[in-house]
Amino acid sequence: MTVALLVGGLLLLAALGVPLVFAIMASSIVTILVTRPGLPLEVVAQTFVGGIDSSVLLAILFFFLAGELMNCSGITRRIVEFSATLVGHIRGGLGQVNVLSSLLFSGISGSAIADTAAVGTVMIPAMKERGYSAGFAAALTQTSSIVGPIIPPSVPMIIYAILAEQSVGELFVAGIVPGFCIAAALMFTVYIISRKRGYERAEKRAGISEITSGGARASAALMMPIIIVGGILGGVMTATEAGAVAVLYAVVIGLFVYRELTPKLIWHSMLRAAKGASTVLVILGASSLFAWLVADQQINKAVAEVVLSISTEPVMVLVLITLVGLLVGMLMDPLAALIILVPVFLPVTAEVGIDPVHFGLVIVLTLMIGLCTPPVGYLIYLSAIIAKTRPEVVVRESMPFILCLVIVLGLCLFFPQLSLTLPEMFGYRG
């Protein structure tokens, strides 16, 4: 009964086109009225506010703002130019540049959507001019952008850290190796497809002087991830403080080094960052009410019993959770899905001995793949608009790249050390 009201109501409202936040809130309130009729509705507001009452969440706003400021400063262009000197000579050159640019930009934005918008507006038109199909360019851009929430800084990792009461810094570090694995797999796939379709190399091999000069032009931008991750790993800054420092650094670089940042651009960056952060926080607040009901009605215990009745082997449990995550990620906003699924499945993983950091990396990557898959797939529509092509063309061209993402997900699932080795090296584990 409770599951039908809560989950069924949410899915029905979402299918009818009700905005996700209102769908979550409505299904939660109806469930409270039916299952807990004497409960004062003030608990709705209290739980909503309590879900976003955390200083750690300020890091989300800071990282959004830092990414916006760096993008307005011409950072994307410099990263693309530097990437071209490194990999532009490889078969499928502009495709390789696309992937490497996304990898480097992900260390600034922490958002797949921001990565697609920033890199896509530069790379997709350039790839089309060089003879790449619009669908291929859009498909590669959207799938390579998935590395954004995996490489630190990462907005989903911050949210998971709060939900699971884990170290933000440890989760940031856990995503580094899987992020590079995603980039390597995508670049290999670009090479294979480019040979088959006859896509030529974009550039001649750059010399040492060209690489050095390109690196020098992009060096100020590439220092931001070092400041963020280095500050957290060194114990000098918390994630929130690192975000604030990143904003200050972005302003200084934009005003005095690149000299492309203006007061008007700063103002518009603040507005876009506020809009992006508020969207995340509203979803987080609404989903906190949903998660509270899951615990209150002991839905998580019921789910645990079902999962453990199938298998108690840690790997099989994680496989089952991943399959559910892939399905949910296709139908729901990844951040909302993260907030809803973690309270349900985290106790299950704890019971069978799955490391919470390993689980965090796997569930975040699982849900991020949903950004590239229909029917919701925000990145499909965003990249299609930039490429001026149909979404179904982007979906068709994305299949080899999504297969790459699923393979890397499988490797992370079956080989925990891909995500746990660096945290051990940096002393997060005893």
Side-chain angles (χ1 to χ4, degrees):
M1 174 67 175
T2 304
V3 174
L5 284 173
L6 190 60
V7 180
L10 169 60
L11 294 177
L12 175 62
L13 291 172
L16 292 173
V18 176
L20 185 61
V21 170
F22 297 116
I24 295 172
M25 292 292 290
S27 61
S28 299
I29 291 172
V30 170
T31 302
I32 290 174
L33 292 174
V34 173
T35 62
R36 299 284 297 272
L39 190 70
L41 286 180
E42 286 85 349
V43 73
V44 174
Q46 292 170 352
T47 307
F48 186 99
V49 174
I52 58 177
D53 185 19
S54 172
S55 61
V56 178
L57 291 174
L58 285 171
I60 295 175
L61 175 60
F62 287 137
F63 288 132
F64 266 117
L65 181 54
E68 291 287 351
L69 290 169
M70 292 299 278
N71 196 29
C72 289
S73 302
I75 178 61
T76 306
R77 185 180 71 256
R78 289 174 173 84
I79 284 179
V80 169
E81 290 172 353
F82 179 52
S83 299
T85 65
L86 296 177
V87 298
H89 61 281
I90 303 173
R91 175 74 67 178
L94 281 185
Q96 310 290 358
V97 172
N98 191 321
V99 177
L100 184 57
S101 298
S102 291
L103 178 66
L104 296 176
F105 191 80
S106 67
I108 296 171
S109 70
S111 165
I113 295 174
D115 198 335
T116 298
V119 176
T121 52
V122 176
M123 290 304 308
I124 291 177
M127 291 179 70
K128 289 171 65 177
E129 288 179 6
R130 291 292 187 94
Y132 295 81
S133 71
F136 177 84
L140 178 58
T141 300
Q142 68 142 352
T143 48
S144 66
S145 297
I146 295 302
V147 78
I150 307 301
I151 294 284
S154 166
V155 172
M157 292 292 194
I158 295 172
I159 293 175
Y160 176 83
I162 294 171
L163 295 172
E165 299 181 350
Q166 297 295 310
S167 163
V168 174
E170 184 173 1
L171 284 159
F172 276 7
V173 176
I176 294 175
V177 173
F180 277 89
C181 288
I182 292 172
L186 291 174
M187 293 177 79
F188 177 75
T189 305
V190 169
Y191 180 84
I192 297 299
I193 294 175
S194 297
R195 283 185 63 89
K196 182 178 179 181
R197 297 186 181 181
Y199 293 146
E200 298 298 323
R201 295 172 175 83
E203 307 286 347
K204 65 177 183 180
R205 184 184 295 271
I208 297 298
S209 61
E210 293 174 291
I211 295 174
T212 303
S213 60
R217 288 192 296 272
S219 60
L222 299 176
M223 280 297 295
M224 184 178 282
I226 297 174
I227 292 172
I228 294 171
V229 179
I232 294 174
L233 289 181
V236 179
M237 297 178 281
T238 64
T240 304
E241 292 166 345
V245 170
V247 170
L248 177 61
Y249 179 80
V251 171
V252 172
I253 293 302
L255 289 175
F256 304 111
V257 178
Y258 293 153
R259 299 183 180 181
E260 295 186 21
L261 200 59
T262 64
K264 183 178 180 180
L265 289 176
I266 293 175
W267 173 248
H268 287 299
S269 296
M270 293 174 66
L271 291 178
R272 287 192 295 269
K275 181 179 179 181
S278 62
T279 300
V280 172
L281 292 178
V282 167
I283 293 175
L284 178 58
S287 300
S288 297
L289 178 63
F290 189 101
W292 176 77
L293 279 170
V294 166
D296 180 70
Q297 298 297 315
Q298 298 188 334
I299 296 174
N300 51 352
K301 292 185 179 180
V303 171
E305 291 175 1
V306 172
V307 172
L308 295 177
S309 68
I310 299 173
S311 176
T312 56
E313 289 293 324
V315 172
M316 278 306 302
V317 169
L318 200 53
V319 168
L320 291 172
I321 294 173
T322 300
L323 292 175
V324 173
L326 287 171
L327 178 61
V328 172
M330 294 173 64
L331 303 172
M332 185 179 289
D333 177 91
L335 294 181
L338 183 69
I339 297 162
I340 291 169
L341 292 180
V342 169
V344 173
F345 288 122
L346 188 62
V348 182
T349 61
E351 188 165 337
V352 298
I354 296 172
D355 189 284
V357 173
H358 178 217
F359 172 61
L361 185 280
V362 169
I363 195 66
V364 168
L365 178 53
T366 298
L367 294 175
M368 290 306 112
I369 292 174
L371 284 169
C372 301
T373 55
V376 176
Y378 297 147
L379 298 184
I380 297 173
Y381 303 102
L382 176 58
S383 60
I385 290 171
I386 297 172
K388 299 179 181 179
T389 189
R390 298 190 307 277
E392 56 268 27
V393 175
V394 179
V395 172
R396 185 174 63 250
E397 290 278 14
S398 294
M399 290 299 106
F401 302 121
I402 291 175
L403 177 61
C404 283
L405 297 177
V406 173
I407 290 173
V408 174
L409 173 61
L411 291 174
C412 293
L413 194 157
F414 288 104
F415 299 99
Q417 290 308 309
L418 283 176
S419 57
L420 299 180
T421 298
L422 284 185
E424 291 173 359
M425 289 176 58
F426 284 100
Y428 280 101
R429 321 194 141 234

